[in-house]
Amino acid sequence: MLACYGAPVTKEGLAATVEEALAAAAKIGYPVALKACSWEIMHKSGKGLIALNIENVTQLKDNFQSIQKAAGKPVPVLVQEMLSGNREFLAGMTRFAGFGPGVVFGLGGVFTEIYNDTTLRLAPLADADVQEMFADIRARKLLDEFRECRR
C-alpha cells in the first residue's frame, strides 16, 4: 500500500515453502532477510524467527528450516530485501474491535521492545496525523540527518 503512494519500500515476497523462498530471493537478489509472518507472532527477534544478511541459497535453506523449527509449526516466511543503515523504525497496522484499523509507528528492531517508543492513530491518516506521529516518539531526532559516530 505504501508503494502505491510513492513511499520507498523494500522488495519482498511471502513464502510458504523453501522453494517459494528461493524463488523470491532470486527475484529480489541477495542479501535478503527472512522473517516469520503470522498474526500469532508478535515478537520475533529473540525467538529465532528472523534471519538477517542471508547471502546465498545454502544459507537461505538452512535459515528457512530454522525459522520453521523455532515457530513450532509451518508458518509463512517473509523474504525481504536486506537494507543496511544505522536507524530502524517500524510502521504497521492492527485492528481494534469496535474501532477499526490503527496505524503504529516507532523505533524498530529490538528497540521496539527495549524502549517502547511507539505511537498509534486510527486509520485513515491525514498528513497532519502522520506528522504528529513522527513528532510523538521520543527518538524523533533520529528521523533527521545526523552525524554518524565512528570508532
Side-chain angles (χ1 to χ4, degrees):
M1 183 174 81
L2 292 173
C4 293
Y5 288 95
V9 296
T10 57
K11 296 177 215 163
E12 55 191 39
L14 196 58
T17 65
V18 71
E19 291 79 17
E20 289 177 3
L22 289 167
K27 184 176 180 180
I28 292 167
Y30 290 93
V32 297
L34 298 181
K35 301 175 182 179
C37 192
S38 170
W39 286 102
E40 299 166 339
I41 303 170
M42 294 300 291
H43 304 291
K44 301 173 189 74
S45 59
K47 299 178 182 174
L49 300 172
I50 293 178
L52 304 176
N53 296 307
I54 296 167
E55 300 278 346
N56 57 52
V57 169
T58 302
Q59 288 179 1
L60 188 140
K61 288 179 181 178
D62 291 346
N63 283 285
F64 188 93
Q65 295 303 331
S66 292
I67 288 171
Q68 296 300 320
K69 185 176 180 183
K73 63 180 180 178
V75 293
V77 173
L78 184 68
V79 181
Q80 190 173 46
E81 175 184 14
M82 187 74 212
L83 299 179
S84 61
N86 52 13
R87 297 175 267 194
E88 190 171 350
F89 295 95
L90 77 84
M93 188 219 111
T94 189
R95 293 194 181 273
F96 297 101
F99 291 99
V103 177
V104 64
F105 173 77
L107 279 180
V110 297
F111 296 116
T112 303
E113 298 167 40
I114 293 170
Y115 294 112
N116 194 26
D117 192 7
T118 59
T119 184
L120 179 72
R121 296 288 188 287
L122 292 177
L125 300 180
D127 288 345
D129 297 318
V130 174
Q131 295 305 316
E132 285 177 6
M133 290 178 81
F134 290 162
D136 277 354
I137 63 170
R138 293 182 305 278
R140 63 188 155 273
K141 288 185 178 183
L142 290 174
L143 294 167
D144 297 327
E145 290 187 36
F146 67 93
R147 176 172 51 101
E148 183 177 334
C149 296
R150 295 193 176 156
R151 295 178 193 197

